[in-house]
Amino acid sequence: VVEIVEGCRLPVLRKNQEHEDEWPLAEILSVKEVSSRKLFYVHYIDFNKRLDEWVTGDRLDMKKLQFPKKEAKTPTKNGLPGSRPSSPEREVRKSLDLNLQTATAPSRGKTLPTPVQLKSFFFFFHKHMIISPGRKRKANCGGTDEDSQDSSDGIPTAPRMTGSLVSDRSHDDIVTRMKNIECIELGRHRLKPWYFSPYPQELTALPILYLCEFCLKYLKSLKCLQRHLTKCNLRHPPGNEIYRKGTISFFEIDGRKNKTYSQNLCLLAKCFLDHKTLYYDTDPFLFYVMTEYDSKGFHIVGYFSKEKESTEDYNVACILTLPPYQRRGYGKLLIEFSYELSKVEGKTGTPEKPLSDLGLLSYRSYWSQTILEILMDLKPDNGERPQITINEISEITSVKKEDVISTLQYLNLINYYKGQYILTLSEDIVEGHERAMQKRHLRIDPKCLHFTPKDWSKRGKW
Protein backbone atom coordinates (compact mmCIF):
# COMPACT_ATOMS: atom_id res chain seq x y z
CA VAL A 1 0.00 0.00 0.00
CA VAL A 2 2.94 2.33 0.69
CA GLU A 3 4.01 2.09 -2.96
CA ILE A 4 0.70 3.24 -4.44
CA VAL A 5 0.77 6.67 -6.05
CA GLU A 6 -1.74 8.73 -8.04
CA GLY A 7 -2.27 7.29 -11.51
CA CYS A 8 -1.80 3.65 -10.48
CA ARG A 9 -4.36 1.14 -11.70
CA LEU A 10 -5.45 -2.05 -9.97
CA PRO A 11 -8.59 -4.08 -9.21
CA VAL A 12 -10.61 -2.65 -6.30
CA LEU A 13 -13.39 -4.33 -4.35
CA ARG A 14 -16.62 -2.54 -5.24
CA LYS A 15 -19.37 -3.27 -2.74
CA ASN A 16 -22.65 -3.60 -4.59
CA GLN A 17 -25.94 -3.52 -2.70
CA GLU A 18 -28.02 -5.04 -5.52
CA HIS A 19 -25.59 -7.66 -6.88
CA GLU A 20 -22.56 -9.61 -5.72
CA ASP A 21 -19.40 -7.69 -4.87
CA GLU A 22 -17.01 -7.28 -7.81
CA TRP A 23 -13.38 -6.36 -8.50
CA PRO A 24 -13.34 -3.90 -11.43
CA LEU A 25 -10.16 -2.16 -12.58
CA ALA A 26 -9.81 1.29 -10.99
CA GLU A 27 -7.48 4.28 -11.17
CA ILE A 28 -6.10 5.95 -8.05
CA LEU A 29 -6.89 9.68 -8.30
CA SER A 30 -5.76 10.77 -4.84
CA VAL A 31 -4.22 9.45 -1.62
CA LYS A 32 -4.72 10.88 1.87
CA GLU A 33 -3.98 9.87 5.42
CA VAL A 34 -6.65 10.07 8.13
CA SER A 35 -5.79 9.02 11.68
CA SER A 36 -2.60 7.28 10.47
CA ARG A 37 -4.70 5.26 7.98
CA LYS A 38 -4.29 5.65 4.23
CA LEU A 39 -7.35 6.23 2.09
CA PHE A 40 -7.44 6.07 -1.71
CA TYR A 41 -9.85 7.93 -4.00
CA VAL A 42 -10.63 5.56 -6.88
CA HIS A 43 -12.35 5.88 -10.24
CA TYR A 44 -13.69 2.60 -11.58
CA ILE A 45 -12.69 2.32 -15.25
CA ASP A 46 -15.73 2.15 -17.59
CA PHE A 47 -18.06 3.08 -14.72
CA ASN A 48 -19.80 6.42 -14.24
CA LYS A 49 -17.89 8.95 -12.14
CA ARG A 50 -20.72 9.15 -9.63
CA LEU A 51 -19.54 5.75 -8.31
CA ASP A 52 -16.04 7.11 -7.45
CA GLU A 53 -15.26 6.79 -3.75
CA TRP A 54 -12.65 6.73 -0.98
CA VAL A 55 -11.57 3.19 -0.09
CA THR A 56 -9.23 1.61 2.45
CA GLY A 57 -6.13 -0.39 1.56
CA ASP A 58 -7.77 -3.76 2.31
CA ARG A 59 -10.02 -3.31 -0.75
CA LEU A 60 -7.08 -3.07 -3.18
CA ASP A 61 -5.77 -6.10 -5.11
CA MET A 62 -2.02 -5.42 -4.90
CA LYS A 63 -1.10 -8.47 -7.01
CA LYS A 64 -2.29 -6.75 -10.20
CA LEU A 65 -0.92 -3.27 -9.51
CA GLN A 66 -0.11 -1.23 -12.68
CA PHE A 67 2.12 1.83 -12.26
CA PRO A 68 1.52 4.91 -14.45
CA LYS A 69 3.64 4.81 -17.62
CA LYS A 70 6.46 7.34 -17.77
CA GLU A 71 6.73 9.71 -20.74
CA ALA A 72 9.53 8.32 -22.95
CA LYS A 73 11.55 10.68 -25.12
CA THR A 74 11.47 9.92 -28.85
CA PRO A 75 13.38 11.47 -31.77
CA THR A 76 11.59 14.03 -33.94
CA LYS A 77 11.36 14.01 -37.75
CA ASN A 78 14.62 15.90 -38.25
CA GLY A 79 16.50 13.47 -36.00
CA LEU A 80 16.76 15.80 -33.00
CA PRO A 81 15.64 14.46 -29.64
CA GLY A 82 12.16 15.46 -28.58
CA SER A 83 9.50 14.38 -26.12
CA ARG A 84 6.23 12.63 -26.80
CA PRO A 85 3.15 14.82 -27.01
CA SER A 86 1.76 15.81 -23.64
CA SER A 87 -1.15 13.88 -22.20
CA PRO A 88 -3.85 16.44 -23.13
CA GLU A 89 -2.53 16.49 -26.71
CA ARG A 90 -2.73 12.69 -26.93
CA GLU A 91 -6.25 12.76 -25.51
CA VAL A 92 -7.32 15.33 -28.11
CA ARG A 93 -5.80 13.18 -30.88
CA LYS A 94 -7.59 10.09 -29.55
CA SER A 95 -10.82 12.10 -29.43
CA LEU A 96 -10.39 13.27 -33.03
CA ASP A 97 -9.62 9.70 -34.16
CA LEU A 98 -12.67 8.41 -32.31
CA ASN A 99 -14.95 11.06 -33.81
CA LEU A 100 -13.58 10.27 -37.27
CA GLN A 101 -14.22 6.54 -36.79
CA THR A 102 -17.73 7.26 -35.47
CA ALA A 103 -18.53 9.46 -38.46
CA THR A 104 -17.13 7.07 -41.09
CA ALA A 105 -17.87 3.63 -39.61
CA PRO A 106 -20.63 1.77 -41.45
CA SER A 107 -23.71 0.98 -39.38
CA ARG A 108 -24.04 -2.63 -38.31
CA GLY A 109 -26.90 -4.75 -39.60
CA LYS A 110 -29.43 -3.35 -42.03
CA THR A 111 -28.75 -0.20 -43.99
CA LEU A 112 -30.99 2.54 -42.61
CA PRO A 113 -32.31 5.49 -44.56
CA THR A 114 -30.79 8.91 -44.02
CA PRO A 115 -32.96 11.70 -42.57
CA VAL A 116 -33.38 13.40 -45.95
CA GLN A 117 -34.85 10.21 -47.43
CA LEU A 118 -37.58 9.91 -44.80
CA LYS A 119 -39.99 12.44 -46.20
CA SER A 120 -43.41 10.82 -45.71
CA PHE A 121 -44.93 7.47 -44.88
CA PHE A 122 -48.23 5.62 -44.80
CA PHE A 123 -49.47 3.59 -41.88
CA PHE A 124 -50.66 -0.04 -41.64
CA PHE A 125 -52.37 -0.07 -38.24
CA HIS A 126 -50.62 -2.53 -35.83
CA LYS A 127 -48.79 -4.17 -38.73
CA HIS A 128 -46.95 -2.00 -41.21
CA MET A 129 -46.25 1.60 -41.90
CA ILE A 130 -45.07 2.34 -45.43
CA ILE A 131 -42.68 5.19 -46.07
CA SER A 132 -42.31 6.68 -49.52
CA PRO A 133 -38.80 8.10 -49.82
CA GLY A 134 -39.96 11.07 -51.90
CA ARG A 135 -37.63 13.36 -53.84
CA LYS A 136 -34.08 13.55 -52.50
CA ARG A 137 -32.88 16.98 -51.53
CA LYS A 138 -29.68 18.45 -50.22
CA ALA A 139 -29.05 18.37 -46.50
CA ASN A 140 -29.22 21.67 -44.67
CA CYS A 141 -25.99 23.63 -44.53
CA GLY A 142 -26.26 23.66 -40.75
CA GLY A 143 -25.78 19.94 -40.31
CA THR A 144 -25.03 16.56 -41.82
CA ASP A 145 -26.80 13.24 -41.64
CA GLU A 146 -24.70 12.44 -38.56
CA ASP A 147 -26.58 15.21 -36.75
CA SER A 148 -29.55 12.88 -36.44
CA GLN A 149 -27.40 10.60 -34.28
CA ASP A 150 -26.84 13.36 -31.71
CA SER A 151 -30.09 12.42 -30.01
CA SER A 152 -29.08 8.81 -29.52
CA ASP A 153 -25.34 8.89 -28.84
CA GLY A 154 -25.07 12.23 -27.04
CA ILE A 155 -21.92 13.25 -28.95
CA PRO A 156 -21.86 16.81 -30.33
CA THR A 157 -20.68 17.16 -33.92
CA ALA A 158 -18.57 20.19 -33.00
CA PRO A 159 -17.64 21.93 -29.74
CA ARG A 160 -19.74 24.94 -28.83
CA MET A 161 -18.49 27.92 -26.90
CA THR A 162 -21.98 29.11 -25.88
CA GLY A 163 -24.56 27.80 -23.47
CA SER A 164 -23.56 25.30 -20.82
CA LEU A 165 -21.67 22.78 -22.91
CA VAL A 166 -18.27 21.42 -21.98
CA SER A 167 -16.18 21.48 -25.14
CA ASP A 168 -13.44 19.12 -23.95
CA ARG A 169 -13.44 16.88 -20.87
CA SER A 170 -9.83 15.73 -21.35
CA HIS A 171 -8.39 18.87 -19.74
CA ASP A 172 -10.18 18.33 -16.42
CA ASP A 173 -8.07 19.26 -13.44
CA ILE A 174 -7.54 16.35 -11.04
CA VAL A 175 -9.36 18.39 -8.36
CA THR A 176 -12.56 18.69 -10.42
CA ARG A 177 -12.55 14.92 -11.06
CA MET A 178 -13.12 14.26 -7.36
CA LYS A 179 -16.28 14.78 -5.33
CA ASN A 180 -15.63 17.57 -2.86
CA ILE A 181 -18.88 17.70 -0.85
CA GLU A 182 -19.64 14.83 1.52
CA CYS A 183 -23.34 15.44 2.15
CA ILE A 184 -25.99 18.13 1.51
CA GLU A 185 -29.04 18.70 3.69
CA LEU A 186 -31.89 20.21 1.68
CA GLY A 187 -35.16 20.47 3.61
CA ARG A 188 -36.12 17.00 4.82
CA HIS A 189 -33.65 15.27 2.49
CA ARG A 190 -29.96 14.46 2.82
CA LEU A 191 -28.26 14.14 -0.56
CA LYS A 192 -24.97 12.45 -1.36
CA PRO A 193 -23.38 14.36 -4.27
CA TRP A 194 -22.24 12.47 -7.36
CA TYR A 195 -19.71 14.93 -8.79
CA PHE A 196 -17.51 17.94 -8.03
CA SER A 197 -19.21 21.31 -7.53
CA PRO A 198 -17.30 24.59 -7.03
CA TYR A 199 -18.70 25.53 -3.62
CA PRO A 200 -16.34 27.72 -1.56
CA GLN A 201 -13.25 25.79 -0.46
CA GLU A 202 -13.87 26.30 3.26
CA LEU A 203 -17.22 24.46 3.00
CA THR A 204 -15.78 21.31 1.42
CA ALA A 205 -14.26 20.07 4.69
CA LEU A 206 -17.65 20.06 6.47
CA PRO A 207 -19.40 16.72 7.10
CA ILE A 208 -22.72 18.29 6.02
CA LEU A 209 -23.42 21.36 3.87
CA TYR A 210 -26.78 22.95 4.75
CA LEU A 211 -28.98 24.57 2.08
CA CYS A 212 -32.11 26.64 2.50
CA GLU A 213 -34.62 24.71 0.40
CA PHE A 214 -36.41 27.88 -0.74
CA CYS A 215 -33.61 30.31 -1.68
CA LEU A 216 -30.87 27.60 -1.96
CA LYS A 217 -28.38 29.67 0.07
CA TYR A 218 -25.57 27.47 1.42
CA LEU A 219 -24.67 27.59 5.14
CA LYS A 220 -21.99 25.89 7.20
CA SER A 221 -24.00 24.69 10.20
CA LEU A 222 -27.50 23.79 11.35
CA LYS A 223 -27.48 26.78 13.71
CA CYS A 224 -26.70 29.13 10.79
CA LEU A 225 -29.52 27.55 8.78
CA GLN A 226 -32.02 27.96 11.62
CA ARG A 227 -31.02 31.61 12.02
CA HIS A 228 -31.33 32.12 8.26
CA LEU A 229 -34.82 30.57 8.16
CA THR A 230 -36.09 33.15 10.64
CA LYS A 231 -35.11 35.87 8.15
CA CYS A 232 -35.82 34.16 4.80
CA ASN A 233 -39.29 35.13 3.58
CA LEU A 234 -39.31 32.87 0.50
CA ARG A 235 -41.57 29.83 0.51
CA HIS A 236 -41.26 29.23 -3.22
CA PRO A 237 -38.66 29.92 -5.90
CA PRO A 238 -38.47 33.57 -7.00
CA GLY A 239 -40.02 34.42 -10.36
CA ASN A 240 -43.41 33.77 -11.92
CA GLU A 241 -45.52 30.68 -11.31
CA ILE A 242 -46.55 29.72 -14.86
CA TYR A 243 -48.10 26.30 -14.20
CA ARG A 244 -50.04 24.65 -11.38
CA LYS A 245 -52.01 21.44 -11.29
CA GLY A 246 -52.64 19.64 -8.02
CA THR A 247 -49.46 19.93 -5.96
CA ILE A 248 -47.14 20.37 -8.97
CA SER A 249 -46.03 23.90 -9.93
CA PHE A 250 -43.48 25.37 -12.34
CA PHE A 251 -41.75 28.71 -11.77
CA GLU A 252 -39.99 30.70 -14.51
CA ILE A 253 -36.84 32.43 -13.22
CA ASP A 254 -34.81 34.97 -15.18
CA GLY A 255 -31.07 34.42 -14.68
CA ARG A 256 -30.47 38.16 -14.88
CA LYS A 257 -33.20 39.28 -12.45
CA ASN A 258 -32.57 36.50 -9.90
CA LYS A 259 -28.84 36.05 -10.26
CA THR A 260 -28.06 34.80 -6.73
CA TYR A 261 -30.80 32.15 -6.76
CA SER A 262 -29.77 31.03 -10.25
CA GLN A 263 -26.11 30.69 -9.25
CA ASN A 264 -27.06 28.72 -6.11
CA LEU A 265 -29.25 26.46 -8.26
CA CYS A 266 -26.34 25.84 -10.64
CA LEU A 267 -24.02 24.96 -7.74
CA LEU A 268 -26.55 22.43 -6.42
CA ALA A 269 -27.18 21.00 -9.90
CA LYS A 270 -23.45 20.59 -10.59
CA CYS A 271 -23.32 18.05 -7.73
CA PHE A 272 -25.42 15.72 -9.93
CA LEU A 273 -24.46 16.79 -13.48
CA ASP A 274 -21.06 15.91 -14.90
CA HIS A 275 -21.45 16.76 -18.58
CA LYS A 276 -22.21 20.44 -18.16
CA THR A 277 -19.94 23.21 -16.98
CA LEU A 278 -21.01 25.91 -14.57
CA TYR A 279 -21.15 29.51 -15.70
CA TYR A 280 -21.53 32.22 -13.12
CA ASP A 281 -22.92 34.41 -15.88
CA THR A 282 -26.55 33.27 -15.64
CA ASP A 283 -27.91 36.29 -17.56
CA PRO A 284 -28.47 34.48 -20.90
CA PHE A 285 -30.54 31.72 -19.26
CA LEU A 286 -34.07 31.08 -18.07
CA PHE A 287 -34.62 28.52 -15.32
CA TYR A 288 -37.82 26.50 -14.95
CA VAL A 289 -38.07 25.01 -11.46
CA MET A 290 -40.60 22.26 -10.71
CA THR A 291 -41.91 22.15 -7.15
CA GLU A 292 -44.20 20.04 -4.99
CA TYR A 293 -46.50 21.94 -2.62
CA ASP A 294 -47.38 21.14 0.98
CA SER A 295 -48.33 23.18 4.05
CA LYS A 296 -44.71 24.36 4.54
CA GLY A 297 -44.23 25.70 1.02
CA PHE A 298 -43.12 24.79 -2.51
CA HIS A 299 -40.30 22.22 -2.37
CA ILE A 300 -37.88 21.93 -5.31
CA VAL A 301 -38.14 18.63 -7.21
CA GLY A 302 -36.07 19.40 -10.29
CA TYR A 303 -35.43 22.01 -12.95
CA PHE A 304 -34.27 22.69 -16.46
CA SER A 305 -32.58 25.73 -17.93
CA LYS A 306 -32.68 27.08 -21.46
CA GLU A 307 -30.96 29.85 -23.36
CA LYS A 308 -33.07 32.94 -23.97
CA GLU A 309 -31.86 32.94 -27.56
CA SER A 310 -30.66 29.65 -29.04
CA THR A 311 -29.38 29.63 -32.60
CA GLU A 312 -29.51 25.82 -32.67
CA ASP A 313 -33.12 25.24 -31.54
CA TYR A 314 -32.12 24.05 -28.08
CA ASN A 315 -35.10 24.07 -25.72
CA VAL A 316 -33.10 22.66 -22.77
CA ALA A 317 -29.54 23.43 -21.64
CA CYS A 318 -29.37 21.50 -18.35
CA ILE A 319 -32.05 19.27 -16.87
CA LEU A 320 -32.09 17.55 -13.49
CA THR A 321 -34.45 15.70 -11.19
CA LEU A 322 -33.03 15.67 -7.66
CA PRO A 323 -32.14 12.13 -6.45
CA PRO A 324 -34.97 11.81 -3.84
CA TYR A 325 -37.52 12.32 -6.64
CA GLN A 326 -35.94 10.14 -9.32
CA ARG A 327 -37.67 7.05 -10.79
CA ARG A 328 -41.09 8.55 -10.02
CA GLY A 329 -41.97 10.07 -13.39
CA TYR A 330 -40.77 13.62 -12.66
CA GLY A 331 -37.99 13.49 -15.28
CA LYS A 332 -40.46 12.83 -18.10
CA LEU A 333 -42.70 15.57 -16.68
CA LEU A 334 -39.82 18.08 -16.94
CA ILE A 335 -39.14 16.98 -20.53
CA GLU A 336 -42.83 17.14 -21.44
CA PHE A 337 -43.05 20.65 -19.97
CA SER A 338 -40.06 21.83 -22.03
CA TYR A 339 -41.85 20.67 -25.20
CA GLU A 340 -45.11 22.32 -24.11
CA LEU A 341 -43.23 25.62 -23.92
CA SER A 342 -41.86 24.96 -27.42
CA LYS A 343 -45.40 24.37 -28.68
CA VAL A 344 -46.53 27.74 -27.29
CA GLU A 345 -43.47 29.37 -28.90
CA GLY A 346 -44.37 27.68 -32.22
CA LYS A 347 -40.94 26.02 -32.50
CA THR A 348 -39.42 22.57 -32.56
CA GLY A 349 -36.75 21.96 -29.94
CA THR A 350 -34.03 19.55 -28.88
CA PRO A 351 -31.91 19.21 -25.71
CA GLU A 352 -28.36 20.53 -25.73
CA LYS A 353 -25.76 17.80 -26.20
CA PRO A 354 -24.10 15.87 -24.70
CA LEU A 355 -26.75 14.30 -22.51
CA SER A 356 -25.79 12.40 -19.38
CA ASP A 357 -26.47 8.65 -19.31
CA LEU A 358 -29.62 9.15 -17.24
CA GLY A 359 -30.72 12.13 -19.35
CA LEU A 360 -30.33 10.11 -22.54
CA LEU A 361 -32.46 7.28 -21.11
CA SER A 362 -35.21 9.72 -20.10
CA TYR A 363 -35.27 11.49 -23.47
CA ARG A 364 -35.25 8.25 -25.47
CA SER A 365 -38.14 6.95 -23.38
CA TYR A 366 -40.10 10.22 -23.75
CA TRP A 367 -39.55 10.44 -27.52
CA SER A 368 -40.52 6.78 -27.98
CA GLN A 369 -43.74 7.08 -25.99
CA THR A 370 -44.72 10.39 -27.60
CA ILE A 371 -44.19 9.18 -31.18
CA LEU A 372 -45.83 5.78 -30.61
CA GLU A 373 -48.80 7.55 -29.00
CA ILE A 374 -49.36 9.50 -32.23
CA LEU A 375 -48.86 6.52 -34.56
CA MET A 376 -51.26 4.30 -32.61
CA ASP A 377 -53.94 7.02 -32.53
CA LEU A 378 -54.01 7.31 -36.34
CA LYS A 379 -57.35 6.26 -37.85
CA PRO A 380 -58.05 5.02 -41.40
CA ASP A 381 -59.20 7.73 -43.81
CA ASN A 382 -62.10 6.71 -46.13
CA GLY A 383 -61.14 3.07 -45.90
CA GLU A 384 -57.54 3.80 -46.87
CA ARG A 385 -54.52 3.39 -44.67
CA PRO A 386 -53.90 6.56 -42.61
CA GLN A 387 -50.82 8.54 -43.53
CA ILE A 388 -48.60 11.03 -41.76
CA THR A 389 -45.28 12.72 -42.52
CA ILE A 390 -42.17 13.19 -40.42
CA ASN A 391 -42.81 16.95 -40.56
CA GLU A 392 -46.32 16.47 -39.19
CA ILE A 393 -45.06 14.37 -36.26
CA SER A 394 -42.49 17.08 -35.56
CA GLU A 395 -45.13 19.84 -35.70
CA ILE A 396 -47.57 17.95 -33.44
CA THR A 397 -44.94 17.13 -30.79
CA SER A 398 -42.43 20.01 -31.23
CA VAL A 399 -39.74 17.30 -31.28
CA LYS A 400 -37.04 18.11 -33.82
CA LYS A 401 -37.13 16.03 -37.03
CA GLU A 402 -33.69 14.53 -36.38
CA ASP A 403 -34.87 13.28 -32.97
CA VAL A 404 -38.03 11.77 -34.51
CA ILE A 405 -35.97 9.87 -37.09
CA SER A 406 -33.31 8.70 -34.62
CA THR A 407 -36.07 7.44 -32.29
CA LEU A 408 -37.67 5.43 -35.10
CA GLN A 409 -34.24 3.96 -35.83
CA TYR A 410 -33.55 3.28 -32.15
CA LEU A 411 -36.86 1.41 -31.85
CA ASN A 412 -35.84 -0.56 -34.95
CA LEU A 413 -39.17 0.23 -36.63
CA ILE A 414 -37.70 1.08 -40.03
CA ASN A 415 -37.45 -1.73 -42.58
CA TYR A 416 -37.13 -1.98 -46.36
CA TYR A 417 -40.02 -3.77 -48.05
CA LYS A 418 -40.77 -4.15 -51.78
CA GLY A 419 -38.75 -1.14 -52.83
CA GLN A 420 -39.93 1.25 -50.12
CA TYR A 421 -39.32 1.99 -46.47
CA ILE A 422 -41.92 0.77 -43.99
CA LEU A 423 -42.31 1.10 -40.24
CA THR A 424 -43.21 -2.19 -38.61
CA LEU A 425 -45.08 -2.02 -35.31
CA SER A 426 -44.94 -5.48 -33.78
CA GLU A 427 -47.33 -6.69 -31.11
CA ASP A 428 -44.46 -6.55 -28.58
CA ILE A 429 -43.90 -2.84 -29.32
CA VAL A 430 -47.64 -2.11 -29.03
CA GLU A 431 -48.08 -4.07 -25.78
CA GLY A 432 -44.89 -2.59 -24.27
CA HIS A 433 -46.09 0.92 -25.10
CA GLU A 434 -49.53 0.31 -23.58
CA ARG A 435 -47.95 -1.04 -20.38
CA ALA A 436 -45.63 1.99 -20.15
CA MET A 437 -48.48 4.45 -20.65
CA GLN A 438 -50.54 2.77 -17.90
CA LYS A 439 -47.68 3.44 -15.45
CA ARG A 440 -47.28 7.07 -16.56
CA HIS A 441 -49.63 8.91 -14.21
CA LEU A 442 -47.97 12.34 -14.23
CA ARG A 443 -48.78 14.38 -17.36
CA ILE A 444 -48.69 18.07 -18.23
CA ASP A 445 -52.14 19.65 -18.73
CA PRO A 446 -51.75 22.44 -21.35
CA LYS A 447 -54.86 24.19 -19.94
CA CYS A 448 -52.98 24.84 -16.67
CA LEU A 449 -50.07 26.55 -18.44
CA HIS A 450 -50.08 30.37 -18.32
CA PHE A 451 -47.07 31.34 -20.39
CA THR A 452 -46.38 34.14 -22.85
CA PRO A 453 -43.10 33.75 -24.77
CA LYS A 454 -40.86 36.81 -25.00
CA ASP A 455 -38.89 37.91 -28.05
CA TRP A 456 -35.43 38.25 -26.51
CA SER A 457 -33.88 39.46 -29.75
CA LYS A 458 -35.67 42.79 -29.27
CA ARG A 459 -34.51 43.22 -25.67
CA GLY A 460 -30.93 44.27 -26.28
CA LYS A 461 -28.63 42.68 -23.71
CA TRP A 462 -31.54 40.75 -22.09
Side-chain angles (χ1 to χ4, degrees), residues 118-119 121 388-394 401 404-405 408:
L118 293 172
K119 194 175 180 184
F121 52 83
I388 191 170
T389 64
I390 295 285
N391 282 345
E392 284 170 348
I393 293 177
S394 184
K401 279 190 294 185
V404 173
I405 294 161
L408 294 173

Side-chain angles (χ1 to χ4, degrees), residues 310-361:
S310 175
T311 56
E312 300 175 61
D313 296 330
Y314 290 135
N315 64 353
V316 165
C318 295
I319 185 166
L320 171 70
T321 306
L322 290 172
Y325 298 96
Q326 288 176 2
R327 302 181 68 84
R328 289 165 56 181
Y330 289 114
K332 275 201 190 74
L333 201 66
L334 281 166
I335 295 170
E336 187 178 2
F337 190 78
S338 71
Y339 282 109
E340 283 299 328
L341 297 185
S342 294
K343 288 176 188 176
V344 176
E345 292 168 345
K347 300 175 182 176
T348 59
T350 188
E352 188 182 296
K353 314 300 184 301
L355 290 166
S356 67
D357 54 347
L358 298 178
L360 182 58
L361 284 172

Side-chain angles (χ1 to χ4, degrees), residues 210-266:
Y210 294 88
L211 264 62
C212 170
E213 64 174 324
F214 300 114
C215 72
L216 302 183
K217 182 176 180 178
Y218 45 84
L219 302 120
K220 62 181 181 180
S221 69
L222 182 59
K223 194 171 185 179
C224 291
L225 175 64
Q226 290 168 343
R227 191 163 59 241
H228 165 79
L229 289 174
T230 61
K231 298 179 281 185
C232 182
N233 298 319
L234 276 181
R235 287 298 172 266
H236 58 78
N240 299 323
E241 186 180 8
I242 59 172
Y243 179 91
R244 183 189 293 187
K245 185 175 183 183
T247 58
I248 300 294
S249 292
F250 279 86
F251 291 81
E252 182 185 56
I253 294 146
D254 189 326
R256 184 182 67 82
K257 293 179 181 176
N258 302 103
K259 197 181 285 283
T260 303
Y261 180 90
S262 302
Q263 289 177 351
N264 287 340
L265 178 59
C266 288

Side-chain angles (χ1 to χ4, degrees), residues 2 19-20 30 95 104 124 132 189 213 250 269 298 311 316 321 359 370 438:
V2 176
H19 308 285
E20 291 182 8
S30 184
S95 174
T104 57
F124 284 147
S132 75
H189 300 292
E213 64 174 324
F250 279 86
F298 294 79
T311 56
V316 165
T321 306
T370 304
Q438 285 170 5

Side-chain angles (χ1 to χ4, degrees), residues 175-220:
V175 174
T176 63
R177 288 181 67 189
M178 294 168 52
K179 301 171 200 173
N180 58 335
I181 304 293
E182 188 67 30
C183 180
I184 289 175
E185 186 170 303
L186 179 70
R188 63 179 182 272
H189 300 292
R190 283 199 172 174
L191 317 177
K192 208 165 177 58
W194 296 350
Y195 307 110
F196 171 89
S197 183
Y199 278 104
Q201 181 68 35
E202 59 270 21
L203 301 178
T204 59
L206 300 172
I208 299 174
L209 179 63
Y210 294 88
L211 264 62
C212 170
E213 64 174 324
F214 300 114
C215 72
L216 302 183
K217 182 176 180 178
Y218 45 84
L219 302 120
K220 62 181 181 180

Side-chain angles (χ1 to χ4, degrees), residues 375-391:
L375 298 181
M376 289 172 62
D377 283 346
L378 289 174
K379 299 289 186 288
D381 186 19
N382 296 327
E384 295 182 6
R385 301 182 192 105
Q387 57 182 352
I388 191 170
T389 64
I390 295 285
N391 282 345

